[in-house]
Amino acid sequence: MPGGKDKQSQRTKGNVRPSSSGRAADHLNSSGQSVSFVGFGALGADLGYVPASSGLGNDDTDVSVNSEFRMVMRKLSKKDATTKLKSMQEFGSMCKDKDVEEVKAVLPYWPRIYNKISMDNDRRVREATQQAFEQLVMRVKRDLAPHLKNIMPAWLLAQCDSYAPAASVAKSAFEAAFPPAKKNEAIMFCKDEIIAVIEDNILHQTLNTLSDPKTNTKDEMEQKYVRVITASLQAWQLFMSLVPAEQRPAVQTAFKCILEDNKFWKLSKHQNPLIRGSLYALLGSLCQFLPEISNHFANKICPLLLHNLDDCEPLVCPSLWQATLCAISFIEDCWKHVSLRKGFLPKLWSVLKAGGSGSATVIYPSILPLLTKLPTEVFEGGVGFYQEFFSNAKIGLGQSKVQMSPSEVSAIISMFIECLQYCLVQLQIDSDTASYLIGDQLMILLKASLVEESPTLCNSSLYGNVVKFVQFMINPSHIGLRINVLVMNQFWSSLDNLSVRISEDCKENPTLSCRMERLVKLFVTFRKGDEGNSISETKKHIKVKFSDEETIGKDNQKSTNRRDVFENCQELDAIVTKLCVTCCHHLITSSELTSAYLQFICKMLSVYSGDEIIVNILTAFNVTSSHSQIHMVFLTEVLIPWTTKVSTSDLSNVVGLSVSMYHCCTPEDKLTILDTYCQRVQSLTALKKFVESLQTDKEMKKWLSECVFGNRMVDITDQLCQQYLKQKSLSKEDMDSSWSLLNLTLTVNQDFEPIISAEYVDKILGKIRMALPQSPQSETLGSSENQNQQDISKCVSLVCDVANNFFTNLKGCLMLKSAEELLLSIFQLQVSNNTFEDKTVSERMQSTWVLGVHDLLKQKGSLLNEDGFLYKAAQCIKQVISNQVTTVERLRSLVHTATTLLTSMSDAVYQALDDDDDKKDNNLLATYLDMLSITMDVEQMQETSLCKARLPTNDSFVVADIPQCTLIDKTKLPLVAIHAVYNSCLLQAIPPETSLNMDIQCIINLMHALTICSTMSSSRKQAWTHSQLGQMLKWLEDDMSRHMKSLTEKNRTESLLMTLLDRSLSIGDVWPLTLNLAVSTMVHSTVLTLQPPDIDLIDMAGGFIRFEDFDNAATNTLLNIMPFIKAESVMQIIDLMVARMLSFESLSDAASMSDASSCLAVLTKGFSTMSHDNDDTRTKALSVLDVLSRWKEGNAHVFAFDSDLSQTQDYWSTVSVNNQMLSFMEYAVSHLSVHLNSSQWDFIMCALVAWIQTLTDSSSNVLHSLIVQSFCCKVSDLLSSICLCMENIVPLQIEAFPANLISEWIEFFSESAFSSLMVLYIQLLDEVKSTSELNANQDTMLRSLGTAMCHCPTRLLKDHNLEGKLIADQVTSLPVEMQTLMNHLSPMLMLPERSIQLTAFTLLHKFVGTLSEYDESIKDDEDIMSRSPPHALMDVIETCGVVTEHVLDGLKIGEVMVIEPYIDEYRYTMGYLLTWQLVLDFFKGAKAEMSHQLWSYNT
């Protein structure tokens, strides 16, 4: 690589093995020489000594240090961070795995290493150091004690490391080393050393002393200095927290020495915020744990903290304010050491004005505690302090950055109200100051929240905090205080005046109505708290709460307390009542009703006691009434007249009030209100909203079926029809409301019964039927097609009859929106509802909307706009097809509907062309075809992911990565296939000239869908159990053949191939498989009769240059077109790939391994397509095998030998290249076995054994990892090929093969392979027994593995190494090994997978005939009349026989029964037959003296 080091092989001298540090360590350990300690100059002065091999010393204790430990500790002296990291990780592993005595031997040398590396510049090294130390601590435990003083200071600093993972591990090690009761003792044991290190770091260490300027940059030195100082300060703080209280005086003297040094106090001026923050945190802990010292240094601590309050750095701020609170709490007379007026207060004002400078959530919760500790003289002098304090707080609240942060706004507001409450209650202020705080501070803030354009304050917690403040002030336990009475009197008075001014402003300027909405929010908060603050909620779900109404349910305790306080608050109720009356006066005197006032009255009635408010409102209208009739009078005298005055947007508020009146009545009164409202309200919109708002009410449901509402709806229908017949004007609003009421009237309840009486339904539909011959309006039916009377079919038929008459007799009726909606509703009903048993109903609906479509095209322009029928119909059918299709039958029905729609439109368009002399163009039809078609991009990607999650069934598809395997949802058809056949059928429904240039895309979609469906059905079991998928495959194939024939007639096949080639090369994914399908279809088609030489796909793709990138898409494309290109081109590709293989010198990364994998895949495919008799081809193939052999020497890491695949680096890249090597070796064994030499056979068989061992090591992932499953398939296939070669080819041409090939295979390789594979196979089957169902990948993998196992020689079966499996009370004469084998294999005959059953039968068949040889009791038991076959087999027969007898019950002799595969009956019947065959084999192999006993048992 350019710029990199040349990676050459290790030098050797005299043909000996290269040097190895590992072998050197082993030799050192076993040499028997004495060892001693030598120093390493590279380690520096403070790393200490590391034991090393010398051979010169005589100190026997040196031998105790393990040689591997010595080697690792030598590596820790290296400067390279990566080397130190790997060495430390290795050290930790050794501490975990080595013998404990070997680990203890390292302890004398560990402290100095630890002290050095625990402060390394690389944070990964520091983390690894703590992890290794934790392993060391867990192993040596108490033996660490002699070295504790040397380790503890650095250990304590490590727990304060600025890199959190390293600090966390250090703390974990500390917790593991000492029980909670021993931590304090350990700290005090090492206190002198800890304090010494802290003092040295803080007072004496500098950038140059902590780091070597020659080997570290200035930034690295600065970072280390900051890290050490910060850790030292934090370690000091941690140390104080761990020192017991009674022993703290013992460390005060040492601390004083540090605190008396000016360098310590200069740290407060350091530019790095980490140091300042740690210093402030330490001072806070000093004040808390050592108040004597903090009082001694109060003259330094107090100014340092209180004069720097404006330090708002996020890393400093929390520690600074915490330390400040500790200082004013624990230091006596702390205020004597600071200047209040010149030093402290200006800093505090600066913080408040800046709004905390981004740290308000940290600072402002500490302001109130700070305020409580201020000296009394600060508050003297009238309102001066309060004015400064609260005014600056409001300035900070108004900062733009604060306004953008709801959390900071909330923090400032909470502080403002809490401090205000403290000043009013706790401080003895005069009445003037209290009035100032309420009038000039609190009310100003409230006013700002109500009138400011920005909604920040309104949407904040201000109202909630104000309510809590008022709740506290009027609490019965506080109300006796004189100041509280004064404060609350002024508060209520100010709030009253403010509210009135707001309402007056809204009257004069309606655009300020949002202020009334905010006022609503404020008063709602007084009663409901924050639960009802949303302004949007004020327009719906309105409900009046009256004083005599029962409380339903229980609120939380907090809300209940608030209600208890304000329930009888006369001042609050008076303000609300006054405002409601004021709003009513505004409504009375204004020409138009203002929405804000109506909204205010609605919401107030919903949360406050309504009786008094209603009485006052009636008084404002000069209406009197008894208390029991106020609801009725309010509705009749106020609300109903309002319905004629308000605008449409405000009508919902009036209806909301009407609904409020309804909810506060008894059930009897509710019916009266409903009758009154229905009879007197003239506004149809108001009536519609009122009825819609109460649809779920019990009394409303009952009332809807009574005569009052029914007669009113008949009158409305009659009035509506008469208006249209007489051509009288009718407003659009009333027309829409009338039709909406009729739609609502003709709906059904949950029991599919009409919500009104059937009598009135008939009357309404009769009115519509009578009006249809003369009226163009029938939107009522637009919603009734979905509804029932008693029979939904009868209702739909009635609607269709009326609509047919409507469309037939009234010319121009579809110019009306309602008529078009009726047409759409009938169409939607047919599309979305597939439950009609009577097919005539669907046919009637179709004939109705087809007629409507013809009329629509004749009468209306702008047909394809989004509000029109055609657009909505297209969207409807596309949505149903995409979301509701589960069967092919349902899809055919929807496709028929869509094609009928398109055909109807086509007929209407061409009819218009015939009648029109100008011959308008037919672009409309093409445009609508495009609108009706479904684009497949997103769905295509979703379905393709299913393809990637499958094991390739051939070698024509290689993926760069495989996601987790997902099972197919068998209840759904593939969406990509649904869309493809849908678009295909649409294309066939229109004239060819209209669909020009669409046929190629249609064929591409069909082929793409067919590819995906074929991949999904790759498992035979899955294809059988998913019959819908089989039908879809047939449909796709038929449509594809039909379109291909049409495309061939147009001579456009080359365009199809060009498009597919381009997609395959640019996109990849499954497009190469789609290209393969297209080419193979052309080659094998009887119409095309195209031969591979006629297709020059390489030239069509642009030559070999298009494949130079050799990415995943190019590789897959090449693999799939290889069988269809010329032999010369294949040879060129092979030459290129062979040259590329020879160029791979180092496969060191994932990219190079992926490249090699692709090369091997192409070569395997290319050689497979060529003639194997060609010498040139054979020579090149063997050269590739030699390249693989050389890889084993130069790139051994590429081969996944003897390792767990899940732990392999470059997981998929490694497995991929190994899979391709396996495929190539399988090709070589299958086709070139005669030409392989001895070394090549050795390479292949050695590799096979190593790969099988890898498979065994990865056994835990075989059933769960798709990558391991693919590897298992390849290994199994290679083993099967070798076995077939050894069994069928080698014996016939023994002279053509190496001399010892058969013997080596039998004596060594086969035994190694099958012994491991047998254990793996049985282990997998044990897991399969607990699995409900295997997915397609697991089934494929087990079939390949089972095929390989069937080649296992009988001698290896008998000489197995399976785990013993014996069954209690099982009588047997077989040896333990044979009985274990029988008990493992026999139950496999009953597993649901057919491949497993056949594998078990094949293996049992190999030796079951010889089992009688093991029965040694024959001679002794000659008098026994009967003898049972092996019990393991008889248990299977007994279990399967129960099912088989049930299946064959009633079947006569000579009759044939076909049992469908992959069901329980099939597997038990098959297991029954196979087991009996094994029993017969056992009989045949039995000895003569034993035969009569066996036959007697069965008879």
Side-chain angles (χ1 to χ4, degrees), residues 140-156:
V140 301
K141 298 181 180 178
R142 293 178 178 271
D143 293 288
L144 185 66
H147 312 282
L148 195 59
K149 288 188 176 183
N150 294 332
I151 295 179
M152 185 60 76
W155 197 355
L156 206 62

Side-chain angles (χ1 to χ4, degrees), residues 1226-1247:
E1226 180 190 357
Y1227 160 78
V1229 170
S1230 300
H1231 301 95
L1232 305 175
S1233 57
V1234 179
H1235 307 284
L1236 298 177
N1237 57 36
S1238 177
S1239 61
Q1240 290 169 338
W1241 272 111
D1242 287 342
F1243 168 64
I1244 292 174
M1245 292 190 292
C1246 289

Side-chain angles (χ1 to χ4, degrees), residues 1058-1114:
M1058 288 292 292
T1059 304
L1060 287 174
L1061 267 172
D1062 182 68
R1063 293 194 183 186
S1064 179
L1065 289 169
S1066 59
I1067 300 176
D1069 208 47
V1070 296
W1071 286 106
L1073 295 177
T1074 307
L1075 174 62
N1076 180 278
L1077 174 64
V1079 180
S1080 62
T1081 301
M1082 295 179 185
V1083 170
H1084 300 102
S1085 172
T1086 57
V1087 177
L1088 298 177
T1089 62
L1090 198 64
Q1091 298 301 320
D1094 299 330
I1095 310 174
D1096 198 346
L1097 293 173
I1098 298 295
D1099 290 343
M1100 291 178 65
F1104 289 102
I1105 193 172
R1106 287 292 300 272
F1107 303 89
E1108 283 184 351
D1109 293 338
F1110 216 60
D1111 55 7
N1112 195 47

Side-chain angles (χ1 to χ4, degrees), residues 328-549:
I328 62 179
S329 300
F330 294 102
I331 296 178
E332 301 174 358
D333 301 327
C334 68
W335 298 107
K336 292 182 179 180
H337 304 286
V338 298
S339 174
L340 281 171
R341 301 294 178 183
K342 295 182 179 180
F344 168 71
L345 288 179
K347 299 291 186 179
L348 180 60
W349 303 150
S350 175
V351 172
L352 293 177
K353 285 181 180 179
S357 300
S359 301
T361 54
V362 175
I363 295 174
Y364 280 80
S366 303
I367 299 266
L368 179 59
L370 177 64
L371 195 64
T372 61
K373 295 293 183 177
L374 290 180
T376 56
E377 60 266 21
V378 174
F379 303 101
E380 297 174 354
V383 300
F385 171 80
Y386 305 105
Q387 183 177 6
E388 286 280 354
F389 182 85
F390 291 105
S391 297
N392 288 328
K394 287 191 289 187
I395 293 174
L397 183 60
Q399 296 292 332
S400 59
K401 293 184 178 179
V402 172
Q403 293 283 307
M404 292 186 293
S405 174
S407 59
E408 294 197 352
V409 171
S410 177
I412 296 176
I413 288 176
S414 297
M415 181 279 301
F416 188 95
I417 302 300
E418 290 171 356
C419 292
L420 183 71
Q421 179 176 315
Y422 170 78
C423 294
L424 290 171
V425 177
Q426 301 297 330
L427 300 179
Q428 298 180 359
I429 61 176
D430 52 30
S431 58
D432 292 338
T433 304
S435 298
Y436 169 78
L437 291 177
I438 294 297
D440 292 350
Q441 294 297 340
L442 178 59
M443 297 313 298
I444 293 298
L445 187 61
L446 270 179
K447 181 179 179 181
S449 72
L450 294 171
V451 303
E452 284 183 353
E453 183 178 352
S454 172
T456 302
L457 289 178
C458 174
N459 294 333
S460 69
S461 61
L462 173 61
Y463 296 156
N465 280 282
V466 170
V467 169
K468 292 177 185 177
F469 164 72
V470 176
Q471 179 184 355
F472 177 84
M473 300 299 289
I474 66 175
N475 192 287
S477 60
H478 305 143
I479 197 64
L481 298 176
R482 183 191 63 82
I483 192 65
N484 287 19
V485 176
L486 176 66
V487 167
M488 292 317 300
N489 288 339
Q490 182 171 359
F491 176 81
W492 295 123
S493 175
S494 301
L495 182 61
D496 187 7
N497 295 333
L498 177 62
S499 303
V500 172
R501 287 199 302 272
I502 294 293
S503 64
E504 293 293 341
D505 292 341
C506 291
K507 179 182 178 182
E508 297 174 1
N509 188 355
T511 60
L512 302 179
S513 60
C514 63
R515 298 183 180 181
M516 285 299 293
E517 295 178 354
R518 297 179 184 180
L519 203 59
V520 167
K521 186 174 183 179
L522 172 61
F523 285 105
V524 168
T525 307
F526 272 106
R527 185 53 57 90
K528 286 192 173 183
D530 295 333
E531 64 195 40
N533 275 349
S534 178
I535 292 296
S536 62
E537 293 178 359
T538 61
K539 297 184 179 180
K540 55 184 178 180
H541 305 300
I542 299 171
K543 181 179 179 182
V544 179
K545 180 189 175 209
F546 290 89
S547 58
D548 58 349
E549 182 182 359

Side-chain angles (χ1 to χ4, degrees), residues 729-755:
S729 61
L730 188 66
S731 67
K732 183 179 184 301
E733 180 182 342
D734 285 341
M735 181 186 70
D736 292 341
S737 298
S738 299
W739 287 117
S740 298
L741 276 172
L742 289 173
N743 290 340
L744 176 64
T745 302
L746 296 176
T747 56
V748 294
N749 58 23
Q750 295 179 348
D751 298 325
F752 283 88
E753 297 177 353
I755 64 172

Side-chain angles (χ1 to χ4, degrees), residues 86-195:
K86 293 182 178 179
S87 300
M88 190 58 73
Q89 291 172 343
E90 186 178 356
F91 180 83
S93 300
M94 293 170 62
C95 290
K96 183 178 180 180
D97 300 332
K98 291 292 184 181
D99 184 74
V100 65
E101 295 301 325
E102 295 181 347
V103 178
K104 290 178 182 179
V106 181
L107 285 176
Y109 319 105
W110 173 250
R112 296 178 69 85
I113 296 175
Y114 178 76
N115 292 343
K116 175 81 173 181
I117 301 186
S118 63
M119 283 297 168
D120 194 87
N121 285 328
D122 194 302
R123 61 184 183 182
R124 300 174 302 163
V125 174
R126 300 201 304 274
E127 181 182 5
T129 301
Q130 304 307 325
Q131 291 172 342
F133 185 34
E134 183 179 17
Q135 295 297 329
L136 179 67
V137 168
M138 294 174 66
R139 293 301 304 277
V140 301
K141 298 181 180 178
R142 293 178 178 271
D143 293 288
L144 185 66
H147 312 282
L148 195 59
K149 288 188 176 183
N150 294 332
I151 295 179
M152 185 60 76
W155 197 355
L156 206 62
L157 264 67
Q159 296 180 52
C160 303
D161 198 313
S162 57
Y163 183 53
S168 176
V169 178
K171 292 177 183 177
S172 176
F174 192 76
E175 296 289 338
F178 306 107
K182 296 293 184 179
K183 292 180 183 177
N184 298 339
E185 296 180 12
I187 289 294
M188 292 305 298
F189 177 70
C190 307
K191 67 179 186 304
D192 294 336
E193 288 75 14
I194 294 173
I195 295 174

Side-chain angles (χ1 to χ4, degrees), residues 1123-1134:
F1124 309 108
I1125 60 179
K1126 300 177 181 178
E1128 296 82 359
S1129 298
V1130 175
M1131 285 304 300
Q1132 285 183 288
I1133 294 172
I1134 289 175

